[in-house]
Amino acid sequence: MPEFDYDLFTIGAGSGGTRASRVASAYGARVAVAEEHRVGGTCVIRGCVPKKMLVYGAHFAEDLEDAKHFGWDIPNPTFDWVRLRDNVLNDVDRLNGIYTQTLENAGVEVIHQRATITGPHEITLADGTRKTAAKILVATGARPHVPSCPGTELGITSNEAFHLDAIPRRVLIAGAGYIANEFAGIFHQFGAKVTLVNRTDQLLRGYDESLRDRLLQISIMKGIDFRFHAEFRGIEKTDEGCLRVSMTSHEPIDVDLVLFATGRVPNVEGLGLEEVGVKLDDKNAIVVDENSRSTVDHIYAIGDVTNRVQLTPVAIREGQAFADTVFGNKPHTVDYSCIPSAVFSHPPLAGVGLTEAQAKQKLGSVKVYESDFRPMKNVLAQRNERSLYKMICDEHTGKIVGIHMIGPEAPEIMQAAAVAVKAGLTKADFDATVAIHPTMAEELVLLK
Ligand code: NDP
């Protein structure tokens, strides 16, 4: 008789937990994964995937407007939110099924219940069943953080944004990070009056300043409002049925929907972690070493619950490295350098490596190459929206230490450019590469 019911018990079947569980199972481990919501996690069910579909849907607004300059007359196009919403949700159902199937095909037992740790090797399910496991992996992700002030229960988070009955006339978005800027673009394109409210005057902290300025400028030009240095004071429902939002430094504003996009916090509450000795940091994230091992030897954690880099592909790599190391006898760690990322705003932006400010601070002297151009499609469409590409190089070696882009398809182009930065290529390597003409991406090999 084995000592434990399972070799591995994973809590949370998001992107990271799913990868770790099925790879561990493929190595011959007896694995169960518990999921209290839907298999797939934030990215698949209420994050990256449905968001990207809404971004596609939203972009038609501008494409339809631009079409006339390309000879197409499309009289009175109308938008049906419910149709798009339901198509997106149906696809989420499909992906949820595929994720579950993938786990089951890999021989992983999927338990559709909340699980908590009730002893060093013991897990208790919501129905009271107790299970034991040699190793436990916590992959419970994160959830939206909502600032505390009166009336916040009248607002929603990105979790609910995918299920709205209608597109509200006026939307206030709290925060100015990834989710705020992505949903600002989405709601704006669907016809809502959007106001972003942020506690500082900085949007998208961590991205290159020139790109952030460009996004702000284009967003304002499109008609999105910004209120900076505004701390939330409260939300109340008015007699007319709308929401009145009070904040510091600005007059109150009446809107129909408030969306909180003010960061995400690790899901650790009630999991029994501290009771068994798993240490949390000051942000409530599970403290782990480079092998994703917590302060308890046989308990590991990956993904957003560890608050290292809150990105799906990173969680997947952490899950893979965990399974390879612990069950596959192929020890390795995740390389966190040069992680490319993107914001699917309108237009999108993307970056890899150091920003100009970070590079100057780290390297002292840097060379910055830029291309500030209007994409051909925007020229013909008479759309006054300029793209900006930036390459930051070490002045002494010529090595590229960062690339940053804002403009149509920037995330698609960035994925390929990131390979070059990761490989340690130089500006000269880009110069030596023949352009593909006419493209936007060719600007990368023509930078001055
Ligand atoms: P972000 O960290 O990107 O942005 C949070 C925003 O809210 C910032 O503007 C921040 O201001 C502000 N904020 C934070 N706390 C408070 C507070 N207490 N009161 C008022 N304002 C506050 O978080 P998001 O919620 O947008 O997204 C969460 C994470 O999810 C991202 O960090 C990212 O890792 C991931 N994500 C990735 C996406 C992608 O890859 N495209 C898309 C969506 C999410 P300040 O700058 O001053 O801190």
Side-chain angles (χ1 to χ4, degrees):
M1 268 287 277
E3 191 185 347
F4 300 108
D5 298 330
Y6 304 100
D7 299 313
L8 173 66
F9 196 102
T10 303
I11 308 180
S15 301
T18 297
R19 172 62 68 93
S21 301
R22 73 174 173 76
V23 175
S25 181
Y27 285 129
R30 295 167 306 133
V31 185
V33 57
E35 171 57 60
E36 64 177 325
H37 300 301
R38 300 182 73 189
V39 171
T42 299
C43 175
V44 174
I45 307 295
R46 62 194 96 80
C48 330
V49 172
K51 179 276 312 285
K52 184 74 185 276
M53 292 178 197
L54 294 188
V55 169
Y56 279 130
H59 212 276
F60 278 94
E62 291 185 351
D63 288 342
L64 287 164
E65 233 176 68
D66 294 348
K68 60 178 178 290
H69 298 286
F70 293 83
W72 293 89
D73 285 320
I74 304 165
N76 310 322
T78 56
F79 171 63
D80 184 346
W81 159 251
V82 171
R83 196 187 323 153
L84 173 63
R85 181 199 66 191
D86 290 350
N87 286 345
V88 170
L89 294 179
N90 285 340
D91 209 58
V92 167
D93 288 346
R94 183 182 67 83
L95 292 168
N96 169 234
I98 289 173
Y99 263 65
T100 309
Q101 195 75 57
T102 305
L103 281 166
E104 287 173 353
N105 290 349
V108 176
E109 184 182 337
V110 182
I111 300 170
H112 297 276
Q113 287 189 56
R114 180 171 170 81
T116 51
I117 301 172
T118 44
H121 289 275
E122 186 187 75
I123 301 104
T124 300
L125 304 177
D127 68 4
T129 315
R130 286 171 195 268
K131 303 280 186 188
T132 58
K135 297 200 163 47
I136 297 171
L137 176 67
V138 185
T140 47
R143 63 175 189 285
H145 155 79
V146 174
S148 57
C149 63
T152 49
E153 70 284 354
L154 297 169
I156 65 162
T157 68
S158 53
N159 288 349
E160 294 77 40
F162 300 102
H163 299 270
L164 293 174
D165 291 333
I167 294 296
R169 201 162 58 81
R170 298 160 301 179
V171 179
L172 184 148
I173 302 180
Y178 282 82
I179 297 177
N181 281 286
E182 293 181 340
F183 272 99
I186 290 168
F187 283 127
H188 173 75
Q189 302 290 335
F190 289 154
K193 174 71 201 156
V194 176
T195 307
L196 246 83
V197 172
N198 198 37
R199 60 182 177 184
T200 67
D201 60 356
Q202 307 236 325
L203 44 94
L204 290 171
R205 199 148 44 87
Y207 277 91
D208 190 89
E209 203 170 334
S210 317
L211 268 70
R212 293 153 43 185
D213 285 349
R214 181 61 54 92
L215 179 64
L216 178 61
Q217 177 219 326
I218 295 177
S219 299
I220 290 172
M221 203 170 68
K222 284 184 194 289
I224 296 172
D225 275 346
F226 289 82
R227 290 193 176 189
F228 290 130
H229 300 295
E231 296 269 355
F232 254 69
R233 281 288 171 259
I235 310 175
E236 55 185 349
K237 208 161 193 154
T238 66
D239 294 342
E240 296 81 48
C242 64
L243 303 174
R244 181 157 299 157
V245 183
S246 317
M247 62 198 88
T248 57
S249 320
H250 298 268
E251 290 298 307
I253 175 172
D254 287 352
V255 294
D256 307 294
L257 179 81
V258 176
L259 169 69
F260 286 102
T262 39
R264 296 175 62 83
V265 290
N267 277 327
V268 290
E269 284 76 12
L271 282 177
L273 293 165
E274 284 169 300
E275 289 81 342
V276 292
V278 173
K279 201 171 157 210
L280 307 179
D281 70 12
D282 57 351
K283 293 208 164 77
N284 260 359
I286 298 179
V287 176
V288 287
D289 67 12
E290 57 173 9
N291 288 310
S292 296
R293 191 193 288 258
S294 78
T295 44
V296 175
D297 257 12
H298 63 277
I299 300 182
Y300 293 76
I302 54 165
D304 287 359
V305 76
T306 64
N307 198 24
R308 285 175 280 187
V309 181
Q310 288 186 342
L311 295 174
T312 300
V314 175
I316 291 173
R317 281 185 178 236
E318 289 168 354
Q320 179 80 41
F322 158 78
D324 286 345
T325 304
V326 177
F327 294 101
N329 202 21
K330 290 183 210 153
H332 65 101
T333 55
V334 175
D335 175 1
Y336 292 93
S337 65
C338 276
I339 295 173
S341 61
V343 184
F344 295 93
S345 41
H346 278 76
L349 58 85
V352 65
L354 304 176
T355 63
E356 184 177 346
Q358 289 165 343
K360 278 182 176 151
Q361 198 179 29
K362 191 169 172 201
L363 304 170
S365 49
V366 295
K367 268 202 128 147
V368 180
Y369 302 91
E370 275 190 16
S371 178
D372 188 337
F373 64 100
R374 190 140 75 113
M376 185 191 270
K377 192 170 168 224
N378 283 355
V379 175
L380 204 67
Q382 296 180 17
R383 181 170 289 284
N384 188 23
E385 245 180 74
R386 298 182 70 81
S387 295
L388 179 65
Y389 291 6
K390 259 177 102 167
M391 181 185 280
I392 326 283
C393 298
D394 183 321
E395 186 159 29
H396 303 296
T397 61
K399 192 174 144 185
I400 305 164
V401 294
I403 295 184
H404 309 278
M405 298 192 272
I406 179 167
E409 310 301 349
E412 301 287 344
I413 301 166
M414 179 56 78
Q415 182 67 78
V419 178
V421 181
K422 181 82 185 152
L425 298 192
T426 61
K427 168 78 165 67
D429 292 314
F430 271 62
D431 292 344
T433 306
V434 174
I436 300 175
H437 184 70
T439 61
M440 294 176 286
E442 70 178 314
E443 295 298 326
L444 280 178
V445 298
L446 302 170
L447 287 168
K448 296 284 178 295

